[in-house]
Amino acid sequence: MFVKLAVAASLVASVAAHAIFQELWVNGVDQGTSCARLPASNSPVTSVTTPDIACNANAASSKGVCQVLPGDEVTVEMHQQPGDRSCANEAIGGAHYGPINIYMAKVDDATTAVGSSAKWFKVSEMGLPSSNPDYWATEVLNDNCGHFTFKVPSDIAPGNYLIRAEVIALHVASQPGGAQFYMSCFQVNVGGSGSANPPTVSFPGAYSASDPGILINIYEQLNSYQIPGPSPYATTSPTVAATPYPTTATWNTALQPSTVPTAVPTAGAKGIGKA
């Protein structure tokens, strides 16, 4: 961790290393930015009380709505610069260590819904996968060329939803307002015949600036970490391992595309597999 402190001290001063969740995959099929609400810049949101905490600042809605089914594997993809899908660069660099959270919100129309008015439930999270040494979800994200995969809950009701993908960077979070929130929303339609409507939270409202997972000094040995927000629905958070976390990619980075689709793929499009 002392090595990370030295790296952070040098990088925070010289490199912004900001990032954006930009692309979506469904069962290994690249949806690109076809249903993404891309923010105006890669800069973070730093206030938990602004409406921007829902879907980022000046994030315009998309014409596209991606199709998913309960139980599908959905992957969100982050990179530092718009349109850059290279695995040669870290997805989020500059010692921006912290957790990943994925939320969904059922809405009447995904193309017009206002994120700060929606009701959100968490479907996946990763915080500190290992404490020997401390190894963060964002480091796992970088291992996998910016990809993080979760499952759509198998029993949720059909209809339009927003997906909210979020990284909370904690490299300067030891003072109030220091945590940096990087989030994007994606527009999807969930099929199937489920009926579940999980308990929800609001953004803003789900987080406090003094939450122990938001106001924190990560440059001391951490044997546990309290991920901000509610517990994920119908799944559990990964436990903190006492052994080193494997750095081998679980996403097939060899098949990473260089171009970005902007149209929703046709039904039956072929996807790639995991490594």
Side-chain angles (χ1 to χ4, degrees), residues 54-55 104-107 113-120 162 200-203:
C55 289
M104 296 182 69
K106 195 172 190 305
V107 295
V114 177
S116 58
S117 299
K119 301 299 182 183
W120 300 89
L162 296 179
T200 60
V201 296
S202 298
F203 285 102

Side-chain angles (χ1 to χ4, degrees), residues 264-270:
V264 176
T266 57
K270 185 178 180 181

Side-chain angles (χ1 to χ4, degrees), residues 14-274:
S14 60
V15 180
H18 298 166
I20 311 170
F21 278 109
Q22 302 178 49
E23 292 88 17
L24 192 80
W25 300 68
V26 180
N27 293 329
V29 178
D30 186 8
Q31 317 283 310
T33 59
S34 65
C35 57
R37 294 187 173 190
L38 296 176
S41 79
N42 65 354
S43 296
V45 174
T46 56
S47 170
V48 297
T49 61
T50 173
D52 293 342
I53 197 69
C55 289
N56 215 320
N58 300 313
S61 61
S62 169
K63 294 181 180 179
V65 177
C66 294
Q67 301 298 316
V68 301
L69 289 170
D72 278 352
E73 287 195 337
V74 174
T75 302
V76 290
E77 182 180 336
M78 170 176 269
H79 296 283
Q80 293 186 40
Q81 299 299 327
D84 177 18
R85 306 191 86 176
S86 172
C87 298
N89 304 316
E90 289 184 317
I92 182 165
H96 282 37
Y97 304 122
I100 299 169
N101 292 305
I102 307 293
Y103 292 83
M104 296 182 69
K106 195 172 190 305
V107 295
D108 292 333
D109 184 343
T111 64
T112 60
V114 177
S116 58
S117 299
K119 301 299 182 183
W120 300 89
F121 58 96
K122 188 185 288 187
V123 295
S124 185
E125 65 182 10
M126 179 182 284
L128 188 71
S130 173
S131 62
N132 183 26
D134 285 353
Y135 202 74
W136 289 94
T138 49
E139 294 176 273
V140 179
L141 191 73
N142 285 334
D143 293 340
N144 287 279
C145 190
H147 298 82
F148 182 81
T149 299
F150 64 96
K151 281 193 175 183
V152 177
S154 61
D155 60 351
I156 60 172
N160 275 206
Y161 285 79
L162 296 179
I163 292 175
R164 178 181 181 274
E166 171 190 64
V167 155
I168 307 177
L170 303 172
H171 54 299
V172 288
S174 59
Q175 57 185 355
Q180 297 181 354
F181 300 83
Y182 297 88
M183 78 295 293
S184 293
C185 290
F186 299 87
Q187 303 169 174
V188 301
N189 182 70
V190 177
S193 57
S195 59
N197 290 289
T200 60
V201 296
S202 298
F203 285 102
Y207 299 158
S208 166
S210 59
D211 285 345
I214 292 176
L215 182 60
I216 184 174
N217 176 16
I218 66 169
Y219 300 112
E220 57 185 10
Q221 177 62 37
L222 300 175
N223 295 320
S224 64
Y225 172 72
Q226 186 173 333
I227 301 173
S231 299
Y233 174 72
T235 188
T236 57
S237 178
T239 59
V240 180
T243 55
Y245 194 83
T247 59
T248 303
T250 56
W251 179 265
N252 198 335
T253 56
L255 297 180
Q256 172 70 359
S258 58
T259 57
V260 182
T262 57
V264 176
T266 57
K270 185 178 180 181
I272 69 170
K274 288 189 176 182

